[in-house]
Amino acid sequence: MRLILFRMTDQHRLTEPEVGRANVEFLGVEVHGPVFFVSSLTIVAFIAGVLAFGDGAAGAFDSLYGWVISTFDWVFMGTVNLFVLFCVLMLVTPVGRVRLGGPDARPDYSLWSWFAMLFAAGIGIGLMFFGVSEPVEHFLRPPLGAAASDTDTVRGLAVASTIFHWGVHGWAVFAVVALALAFSAYNLGLPLTIRSAFYPAMGDVVWGGFGHVIDILAVFATLFGLATSLGLGAEQMAAGLEHLFGIPATDTSRVLVIAVITLIATASVVSGMDRGIRRLSQANLVLALVLLAFVLAAGPTGAVLTGFVGSVGRYLAAIGPLSSWVGREDLGFLREWTIFYWAWWLSWAPFVGLFIARVSRGRTVRQLVGCMLAVPVLLAALWMNAFGATALSMYIDGGLSGVVEAVEAGRLELALFSLLEVLPFGGVTSGIAIVLVAVFFITSSDSGSLVIDTITAGGKLDAPVALRVFWCTFEGLVAITLLVSGGLVALQTAALVTGLPFALVLLAMCLSTWKGLRAAVREGGAG
């Protein structure tokens, strides 16, 4: 029996909405009219405009980037802190017992498959790109006013502040969206679109213009957040090919990388969730763990494992000062790193949250939120220690400066390969790293395409193949456009601009989800 949550007015009564209720047929493909046409035409206009203005677009990206990070830093910091508190509330209150899908629901995927898809979709490319370069960058320019001359302190703080950017705060953003969408889809029977998360608070209003705007914003955030990651992945793959085979890392090579990977991702997304994404995610997690184990074994193993415990402790000790934006003197770190990360996580939130919701039926609220805050964070901490701490140890204790030189030169994409080349079997492990980036690239692209397909098909999980191909192709085109028009700054600006409005959307989502879960507990809907 369907759980009825609202009894006060007819406006707030659950209404058995049909999936795809506002869909129309366009060129033989069923799409949600307002969401698909507005989002697709706007993105086409964006691509055309950026390519037409060339250098002018690059300057505009640079100016917009500086304005957003300096004007809205408090919005990003404050909202993400609130999302962490919301997740804690989910863990410690009775709503944590609610089972997604009802009391009798059981998970559709094994814990291993679920975690593999979560890892591949959520953090893969980022760990590969920043796992070595970010700890080194923070060692060279330490946050929180730490003295660079205090080597031991700064070494620990560098890894701890990197974990901060990949830790509880970022995954809390994803958890907010994943929980809201899973609850609205599996417990309320609503379409798996972003607007459905607001039904507990707004009722049938979400099926009108308000809901269209929310879903359109979600499409923009997903597409541009993905483009940021795909652009970073292309830069790193091109750097790896140059490092291994001497192929120059030019705009042409980066465009070719995006084109080839997009074709492969399109084939994967056409094959669907079970055959494509699940298998790729599992294979990539195994490969990532193999590379992690190799670096642990080949590097200063004892120091890294000991440092893992210490860096997690330093992360927990520094989480308060790093979470505050008041009175900070390290504005370079705050705005160019933390604000960018929070915006990037926010722009990825519709994509990763909806994707995780799709694979999380049968979990309880407490299991979903607890796993999302604990397991990936611990893995990210281990990864940053293995790669970042190994690079720092080789520089500080061994005098090997290749990674530092790459970071100082602004070539963050080369840092991983500079580390691997000084370890045994450098050529082999660099090749594995390129494959890892490629497969993370593919799983991010096809997972994101499936999410956008679902939104622009009015919540239909079996969106037409043509729609999947369309969005997968446009992800690649947007990434290419940003990369050739402004490079890293353009990619970062895309994440900032799309993440900002979604910070406010997610605040409202928290309130709506809380209202729905409280009603579920009162009506006996906890599992």
Side-chain angles (χ1 to χ4, degrees):
M1 179 179 293
R2 176 70 67 81
L3 174 65
I4 303 298
L5 297 184
F6 304 100
R7 294 178 173 174
M8 293 187 294
T9 67
D10 289 339
Q11 179 185 6
H12 289 89
R13 193 179 299 278
L14 204 56
T15 56
E16 302 283 353
E18 295 180 4
V19 173
R21 59 188 291 169
N23 284 8
V24 298
E25 190 169 302
F26 176 67
L27 299 178
V29 178
E30 185 182 346
V31 297
H32 187 285
V35 175
F36 174 78
F37 290 120
V38 172
S39 57
S40 60
L41 290 175
T42 302
I43 289 165
V44 169
F46 169 82
I47 293 173
V50 170
L51 294 178
F53 285 101
D55 292 339
F61 283 130
D62 190 56
S63 299
L64 185 59
Y65 173 78
W67 180 70
V68 172
I69 63 172
S70 61
T71 305
F72 297 102
D73 52 357
W74 63 275
V75 175
F76 288 110
M77 296 295 288
T79 52
V80 173
N81 287 341
L82 288 174
F83 300 147
V84 174
L85 296 177
F86 176 79
C87 288
V88 172
L89 197 64
M90 297 299 98
L91 294 174
V92 301
T93 61
V95 301
R97 299 196 308 269
V98 174
R99 187 171 295 276
L100 303 171
D104 299 325
R106 291 296 176 264
D108 295 329
Y109 298 93
S110 68
L111 190 61
W112 168 256
S113 295
W114 181 63
F115 177 62
M117 288 188 282
L118 184 152
F119 176 81
I123 58 176
I125 288 179
L127 288 182
M128 296 297 294
F129 192 92
F130 291 109
V132 175
S133 60
E134 188 178 350
V136 172
E137 169 67 27
H138 298 334
F139 174 79
L140 297 173
R141 284 166 280 276
L144 300 178
S149 58
D150 188 352
T151 302
D152 290 338
T153 299
V154 171
R155 181 196 295 209
L157 182 60
V159 177
S161 55
T162 303
I163 297 171
F164 172 70
H165 290 147
W166 295 90
V168 168
H169 284 71
W171 281 95
V173 175
F174 290 169
V176 166
V177 181
L179 172 59
L181 297 182
F183 176 73
S184 62
Y186 302 137
N187 294 69
L188 306 184
L190 302 177
L192 195 57
T193 60
I194 303 298
R195 72 177 72 199
S196 297
F198 295 91
Y199 191 92
M202 303 189 69
D204 290 341
V205 171
V206 302
W207 310 125
F210 170 82
H212 299 340
V213 171
I214 292 297
D215 279 349
I216 290 167
L217 285 174
V219 171
F220 290 156
T222 300
L223 196 70
F224 286 102
L226 274 170
T228 302
S229 299
L230 301 185
L232 295 176
E235 286 196 339
Q236 189 166 39
M237 287 186 66
L241 293 172
E242 181 181 48
H243 184 76
L244 278 181
F245 306 111
I247 301 172
T250 62
D251 281 345
T252 301
S253 64
R254 297 183 186 99
V255 168
L256 288 175
V257 165
I258 294 176
V260 171
I261 296 300
T262 298
L263 284 174
I264 300 172
T266 301
S268 175
V269 79
V270 167
S271 67
M273 179 80 74
D274 290 316
R275 293 173 55 193
I277 298 173
R278 179 174 60 85
R279 293 176 182 176
L280 278 174
S281 299
Q282 290 176 338
N284 218 34
L285 181 57
V286 170
L287 198 58
L289 292 176
V290 168
L291 184 62
L292 174 64
F294 169 79
V295 173
L296 281 172
T301 307
V304 169
L305 292 177
T306 303
F308 169 74
V309 177
S311 63
V312 171
R314 290 187 185 93
Y315 160 60
L316 296 175
I319 198 169
L322 290 171
S323 299
S324 174
W325 66 95
V326 180
R328 293 281 289 270
E329 296 181 358
D330 54 338
L331 293 181
F333 174 87
L334 174 67
R335 292 174 175 172
E336 295 178 16
W337 285 95
T338 304
I339 299 303
F340 163 66
Y341 268 117
W342 287 183
W344 192 17
W345 288 93
L346 285 162
S347 68
W348 266 54
F351 149 50
V352 179
L354 200 154
F355 180 77
I356 293 173
R358 283 191 64 171
V359 299
S360 297
R361 182 198 296 268
R363 310 284 174 190
T364 66
V365 169
R366 192 168 286 123
Q367 286 171 345
L368 176 65
V369 175
C371 258
M372 289 186 69
L373 294 190
V375 180
V377 171
L378 290 174
L379 182 56
L382 182 59
W383 186 280
M384 295 303 179
N385 261 279
F387 287 84
T390 295
L392 289 174
S393 178
M394 290 185 168
Y395 172 64
I396 297 169
D397 304 324
L400 300 174
S401 59
V403 174
V404 171
E405 291 170 0
V407 173
E408 289 279 37
R411 298 207 62 188
L412 304 186
E413 69 276 9
L414 192 58
L416 173 62
F417 303 106
S418 298
L419 169 66
L420 294 177
E421 74 176 0
V422 299
L423 296 176
F425 312 108
V428 174
T429 54
S430 292
I432 291 174
I434 293 175
V435 172
L436 266 173
V437 174
V439 182
F440 279 133
F441 199 140
I442 294 166
T443 53
S444 296
S445 181
D446 57 17
S447 302
S449 297
L450 284 174
V451 166
I452 298 176
D453 297 340
T454 300
I455 297 172
T456 55
K460 292 174 68 70
L461 298 182
D462 54 343
V465 171
L467 194 61
R468 300 181 188 184
V469 173
F470 175 85
W471 285 116
C472 204
T473 302
F474 265 75
E475 286 167 17
L477 289 175
V478 171
I480 289 171
T481 301
L482 291 172
L483 200 58
V484 301
S485 63
L488 182 59
V489 171
L491 296 170
Q492 292 174 318
T493 304
L496 284 167
V497 172
T498 54
L500 180 60
F502 235 82
L504 305 179
V505 170
L506 262 61
L507 278 179
M509 189 180 288
C510 288
L511 296 175
S512 182
T513 303
W514 174 250
K515 183 174 183 179
L517 289 170
R518 287 288 303 275
V521 172
R522 286 196 301 269
E523 296 290 339

